[in-house]
């Protein structure tokens, strides 16, 4: 499978990227105290339907839902549940994927429940977002994959937070997960050379405390070993002649 997409394929990935982003916007708008993560799942289901898309996640390796909703110490792959009630001050990571016209879209955001996060949470969100931005800035033809990974790692660790190793970003196209893997840690100049047409999902998972991960008995939910909070942001990024193009972000809403 070629890692480089044609302009026509990138246009399709752009449509999928904007679709998943609109779904996530609806989900984020429904994050209020008292809502359950199952309520968010239902909004994501309806949103995916409204886009004329299908879920990239439900059925993927047996994952049961269209949304991952990971609260506080949950890092990724939290399974929506009627029993999981959101409270003011919680941090909730929302990860969604769609399949539209044969091409995948995949994106994640983390938000605080009920507006202003506490200062420590606010810093975790800001650092994770700027680490993603630092990685994206390195997604240029002629750079190396390690340049992306290293930029993310430095942004996180220089702020005193830690990078999760067990989960990584990925290529995306006619499959949800394509080569190459995109770790959130690495060395400049290491790994594959980046070329025009590659489309990468860059998705730092950042822990407030130690990087250690524990898996819950549901077989999906990854939590921090020390119980501290974690944040996750993800964009799909095309490497173009003019530099990185964030497919999962509306330029007007940047
Ligand atoms: N954004 C995550 C990823 O790219 C979500 C996968 S959830 C799954 O790996 F359900 F699809 F496994
Ligand atoms: Co992903």
């Amino acid at each position: 499978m070629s890692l480089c997409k044609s302009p026509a394929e990138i246009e399709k990935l752009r449509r999928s990227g904007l679709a998943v982003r609109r779904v996530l916007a609806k989900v984020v708008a429904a994050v209020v105290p008292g809502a359950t993560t199952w309520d968010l799942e239902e909004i994501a289901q309806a949103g995916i339907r409204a886009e004329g898309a299908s879920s990239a996640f439900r059925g993927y390796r047996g994952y049961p839902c269209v949304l991952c909703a990971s609260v506080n110490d949950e890092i990724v792959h939290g399974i929506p549940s009627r029993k999981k009630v959101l409270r003011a001050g919680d941090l909730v990571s929302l990860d969604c994927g769609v399949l539209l016209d044969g091409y995948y879209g995949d994106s994640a955001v983390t938000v605080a429940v009920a507006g202003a996060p506490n200062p420590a949470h606010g810093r975790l969100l800001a650092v994770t977002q700027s680490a993603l931005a630092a990685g994206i800035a390195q997604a240029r033809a002629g750079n190396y994959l390690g340049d992306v990974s290293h930029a993310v790692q430095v942004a996180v660790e220089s702020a005193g937070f830690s990078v999760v190793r067990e989960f990584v970003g990925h290529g995306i196209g006619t499959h949800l997960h394509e080569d190459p893997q995109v770790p959130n840690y690495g060395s400049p100049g290491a790994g594959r050379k980046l070329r025009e047409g590659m489309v990468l999902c860059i998705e730092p998972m950042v822990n407030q405390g130690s990087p250690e991960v524990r898996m819950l008995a549901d077989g999906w939910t990854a939590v921090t070993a020390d119980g501290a909070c974690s944040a996750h942001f993800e964009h799909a990024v095309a490497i173009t002649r003019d530099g990185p193009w964030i497919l999962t972000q509306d330029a007007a809403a940047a």
Side-chain angles (χ1 to χ4, degrees), residues 31-81:
V31 172
V32 291
T36 69
T37 56
W38 183 259
D39 295 332
L40 304 181
E41 163 73 12
E42 289 187 333
I43 285 169
Q45 287 179 9
I48 292 170
R49 219 175 300 126
E51 294 291 340
S54 56
S55 171
F57 291 1
R58 192 165 50 199
Y60 183 86
R61 298 179 182 229
Y63 186 73
C65 293
V66 308
L67 184 74
C68 299
S70 309
V71 181
N72 293 335
D73 63 320
E74 296 174 351
I75 302 167
V76 285
H77 304 163
I79 302 175
S81 162

Side-chain angles (χ1 to χ4, degrees), residues 91-108:
L91 283 188
V92 54
S93 299
L94 302 160
D95 189 352
C96 195
V98 302
L99 175 61
L100 184 65
D101 199 14
Y103 287 79
Y104 283 88
D106 183 12
S107 187

Side-chain angles (χ1 to χ4, degrees), residues 57 95 106-107 168-170 176-177 201 203 232 234:
F57 291 1
D95 189 352
D106 183 12
S107 187
V168 296
H170 50 92
L176 174 62
H177 293 148
C201 284
E203 49 178 318
H232 178 212
E234 175 177 15

